[in-house]
Amino acid sequence: MKIWFKLYLFSIILFSLIFWITVFVIIETFHNNTLTQQVTNSLNEHQNIYNGINMDIPAYEKLQRYSRDTLSSTQTLVSSFNVYASNYNSDNFYLELYNDKQEVIFSNTNFIDNISREDLNNLKPNTRQYIIKDIGDRSYIFISSILKFSDDNYYFSYIYDLTNIYDERSEQYNFTLKLYLCFLVVFMFLMFIISNFLTKPLSKLTQATIKITKGKYSERVSVRSGDEIGILADNFNHMADEISTKIDKLQEQNNEKQRFIENLTHELRTPLTSIIGYADYLQRSKYDEKVFYEGLEYIHKEGQRLQQLSFKLMDLLLIKKDSFEFQKYGIKDICSQSIGTLRPKILEKSIDIKLIGDDFECYMEQDLMQVFFINFIENAIRASYEDSRIIISIDSNNQQVTITDYGIGMDQENIDKIFEPFYMIDKSRTRLENGAGLGLALCTKIAEFHHIKIDVMSELNKGTSIVLTFTKDQGGNQDA
């Protein structure tokens, strides 16, 4: 069941409940007030007749004592009741008189035959009892009391027809039912429009989710509203943005993994092909010391490349798993040690390398940080011309280290890819120096651990600057 229909149905049920509860309370209150008023009037009428007859009884008793021609007590009361019945002259008004054996001696009714009269049971002098009783399709009030005349007890009943009061209530309910049906038709029409209007944004959200599940991650919901549905739509769009971003990242990571596998396969195939090829050649060739020496030299170099590749891969794997201990060290000392490690390569190209600036300290894992700087400085050496220079500048105020070379440089396309595993700008030169294209990929992992931001600025044939910014106040992860 759709939510608009639930809202529609719930509104109709709620409207009906409120309408009929209100109608019931109003009609029943009015009916009860009218009925109470009529009961009070009937009690007053009964009391008036009762008092009138009681006032006449002493005179009748006196006449009976002094006159022989007077009527009997029963005849006298019947005569009095006839007078009262004719004076009131109402279709709704009735009188009855019973003797002490509850036998009818006067009645102007034509509907009381063999019915139980609870109002006459246990009736005592100077009291009265009344009941409201349904006879057929009509309702009556019976008010009874005892009249005492010449030491005889008579039962006096006043009867009033209340049917019109109950009929009026039924008519009110019938009229209200017709009014309700008219209101209900109008209300249902309005609620159909309103419920669809209110839930239309939810329908849009539903359609959007269906499209997203089918792969249309660019789908968004346009709902301009300041209520909860509008907030929900905004959150949905935000969630969709996040999902789209995550999917793009996952796709990018998947592409990177695919390139990694392809590059790894290629990098493994190349030296293995050379090793197998030279080994097969040496097996099939006659012994020649020069040929054997050259073949073994190639096999040795390709073996070194495989060894270097395996070391770099192990570094990439271990840096994801190991838990490192961070301590405070000076950046200048780390740079000096890295330069010392690379001194043979620096001398080989007669490069003038300078370390300038004021030192600053930060928390780091010393071995990782040394690998970090060695890779960047070694790349600067590879990119530099002979008799060139490299400047390592330390900015303690901004906690930055800038490594600048004046070598071959690179274009923007290469800048965007240099941190990908196995990516090499000059593959022939890199392989000649036993490079695997994993150094900068390793550096990005180390930078993540130490919260270091890496910026690369380069211009083709003019050189490259690597700016390393320690973004935490004190460098690396202090809680490690």
Side-chain angles (χ1 to χ4, degrees), residues 10 72 77 116 249 252 257 309 328 364 366 447 460:
F10 175 78
S72 65
L77 287 175
S116 60
K249 286 183 179 179
E252 183 179 350
K257 288 179 181 179
L309 179 62
K328 185 178 284 189
M364 67 180 74
Q366 186 181 21
L460 200 61

Side-chain angles (χ1 to χ4, degrees), residues 346-352 384-390:
I346 295 171
L347 295 174
E348 184 180 343
K349 279 194 168 185
S350 301
I351 294 174
D352 180 20
S384 296
Y385 301 110
E386 290 187 2
D387 299 321
S388 183
R389 61 193 179 104
I390 296 173

Side-chain angles (χ1 to χ4, degrees), residues 212 216-220 236-254:
I212 287 176
K216 296 181 179 180
Y217 301 110
S218 61
E219 186 67 24
R220 297 296 181 270
F236 176 85
N237 289 335
H238 180 69
M239 180 191 69
D241 291 337
E242 291 296 321
I243 291 174
S244 180
T245 302
K246 294 293 183 183
I247 289 175
D248 290 341
K249 286 183 179 179
L250 288 174
Q251 186 63 42
E252 183 179 350
Q253 291 175 0
N254 185 59

Side-chain angles (χ1 to χ4, degrees), residues 76-93:
T76 302
L77 287 175
V78 169
S79 176
S80 296
F81 271 74
N82 272 318
V83 172
Y84 278 104
S86 61
N87 286 340
Y88 277 84
N89 191 23
S90 172
D91 294 335
N92 298 327
F93 164 76

Side-chain angles (χ1 to χ4, degrees), residues 29-165:
T29 301
F30 179 78
H31 169 75
N32 290 332
N33 289 339
T34 305
L35 184 61
T36 301
Q37 183 62 43
Q38 186 57 57
V39 169
T40 302
N41 292 339
S42 298
L43 288 171
N44 291 335
E45 291 292 336
H46 171 272
Q47 188 67 44
N48 291 336
I49 296 172
Y50 178 82
N51 290 338
I53 293 174
N54 268 334
M55 288 176 64
D56 293 336
I57 286 176
Y60 291 140
E61 289 177 341
K62 195 172 183 178
L63 285 172
Q64 285 179 344
R65 286 197 300 269
Y66 296 103
S67 176
R68 295 179 181 180
D69 298 328
T70 57
L71 300 173
S72 65
S73 299
T74 300
Q75 291 174 332
T76 302
L77 287 175
V78 169
S79 176
S80 296
F81 271 74
N82 272 318
V83 172
Y84 278 104
S86 61
N87 286 340
Y88 277 84
N89 191 23
S90 172
D91 294 335
N92 298 327
F93 164 76
Y94 306 96
L95 295 176
E96 284 187 334
L97 186 64
Y98 297 82
N99 59 21
D100 56 355
K101 295 180 181 180
Q102 294 190 5
E103 296 173 345
V104 178
I105 57 177
F106 175 84
S107 176
N108 64 341
T109 67
N110 56 3
F111 53 83
I112 302 177
D113 291 317
N114 299 322
I115 65 170
S116 60
R117 292 291 303 275
E118 293 84 353
D119 55 309
L120 299 178
N121 298 333
N122 302 318
L123 192 58
K124 297 178 182 180
N126 300 319
T127 62
R128 58 180 174 175
Q129 297 179 158
Y130 76 89
I131 62 168
I132 297 175
K133 193 175 186 68
D134 292 330
I135 301 174
D137 58 351
R138 304 189 74 80
S139 300
Y140 300 91
I141 181 172
F142 295 82
I143 306 171
S144 300
S145 60
I146 294 176
L147 284 171
K148 192 171 182 62
F149 194 168
S150 299
D151 297 326
D152 294 326
N153 288 332
Y154 296 88
Y155 294 93
F156 160 48
S157 291
Y158 173 94
I159 305 169
Y160 190 87
D161 190 350
L162 302 175
T163 305
N164 62 328
I165 296 176

Side-chain angles (χ1 to χ4, degrees), residues 268-284 295 298-299 302-303 306:
L268 288 173
R269 188 193 307 117
T270 302
L272 285 174
T273 300
S274 298
I275 291 172
I276 293 171
Y278 275 108
D280 183 63
Y281 172 73
L282 293 176
Q283 283 181 339
R284 289 185 289 102
Y298 277 114
I299 291 173
E302 295 302 320
L306 281 175

